[in-house]
Amino acid sequence: PRTPRPRCPDPDPPPAPAYMPPLALLRNYSNAFAWPDQAAAATAIATGVKTNNRSIGVDPSGKTLKNLTQLAREAGRATGLVANGNLTDATAAAFYAHNGAPADTLALAQQMTENPILDLVLGGGAADFLPQSQGGRREDNRDFLLEIRRNGLDLVRSKLDLEELPGWRRPKLTVVCSMAALAYSAHV
C-alpha cells in the first residue's frame, strides 16, 4: 500500500517535490558502448555531447567540441579547474583538452600549457609537467611548469607559496601541489 502524503497545515505549503521520495534517473552510456569510460563520461559532462570511449573533447567523428570552460571564457568569465587527482586525468582534461588518447597524459599536460584557457588550476600530477631530470615523466626535457610561469600565470607548489601571494590582486594561478594525485586529508 502507498504511504499517504503528509498533510501540511502551513498556508504556503512547500512545493510538491518536497513530498516525493528521492529518485534519480540517468542514462549513462557512451556513443558506441553501453558503459562509458572516464574520458567519454567527462566529455559528455563538459560538452553536452556523447562521444566514443577513449575520446576527450571530440565528437564521435573526431571533430573538436567546445567545452564549458571555453564557453565561459568566450563570455568573459573567469575559468578554473580543481581536481583532487592528476590534472592530466581524463576527467579533468575534458574541461580543457581535445585529444583522442586519454592515456597520453604527457600530451594533455602539453595542451594545458600551450593553450591556457584556465585562470585558476588546482590539482596534482606535476610529474606530467616536469622533465625526467627533475623527477618528472617527460622525456622531451621540457619543463611545462616553467613555461606556465613564463605564460604569465603564478605557479604555486606549496601552501606557503599560496599564502605568500598578495590578496589584493586577482592572479592567474596554477597550483600543482604534488607529483601524483593529491592525498586525502586523512592521509596527510
Side-chain angles (χ1 to χ4, degrees):
R2 293 185 105 176
T3 306
R5 190 171 113 179
R7 296 208 177 258
C8 184
D10 187 5
D12 293 322
Y19 295 109
M20 301 170 96
L23 175 68
L25 300 175
L26 174 69
R27 283 195 248 170
N28 191 19
Y29 54 87
S30 64
N31 182 60
F33 199 69
W35 293 275
D37 68 354
Q38 184 180 1
T43 295
I45 293 168
T47 66
V49 176
K50 288 190 181 290
T51 191
N52 297 330
N53 285 354
R54 295 178 305 283
S55 295
I56 296 175
V58 294
D59 71 8
S61 66
K63 180 183 170 201
T64 299
L65 298 168
K66 282 192 178 183
N67 57 44
L68 290 171
T69 308
Q70 290 170 304
L71 294 172
R73 168 71 79 198
E74 289 172 5
R77 303 281 185 173
T79 59
L81 175 66
V82 178
N84 63 349
N86 291 345
L87 293 168
T88 54
D89 282 345
T91 303
F95 291 89
Y96 67 83
H98 305 285
N99 183 353
D104 191 358
T105 58
L106 301 178
L108 294 171
Q110 184 172 349
Q111 283 189 48
M112 177 183 272
T113 303
E114 293 177 351
N115 303 308
I117 60 169
L118 299 164
D119 298 309
L120 172 70
V121 181
L122 299 154
D128 292 329
F129 294 85
L130 293 171
Q132 290 177 343
S133 62
Q134 295 181 29
R137 296 183 47 235
R138 302 202 67 79
E139 294 178 0
D140 58 8
N141 290 323
R142 289 180 70 184
D143 182 345
F144 284 142
L145 295 183
L146 181 61
E147 290 183 34
I148 286 170
R149 183 173 280 151
R150 285 184 186 147
N151 287 340
L153 280 78
D154 289 321
L155 179 65
V156 174
R157 296 291 311 271
S158 69
K159 181 180 177 187
L160 180 62
D161 290 345
L162 186 60
E163 290 172 346
E164 289 177 353
L165 287 174
W168 52 267
R169 67 181 177 97
R170 183 176 139 199
K172 290 185 125 201
L173 179 65
T174 299
V175 181
V176 184
C177 297
S178 68
M179 293 300 275
L182 300 179
Y184 291 102
S185 62
H187 300 132
V188 178

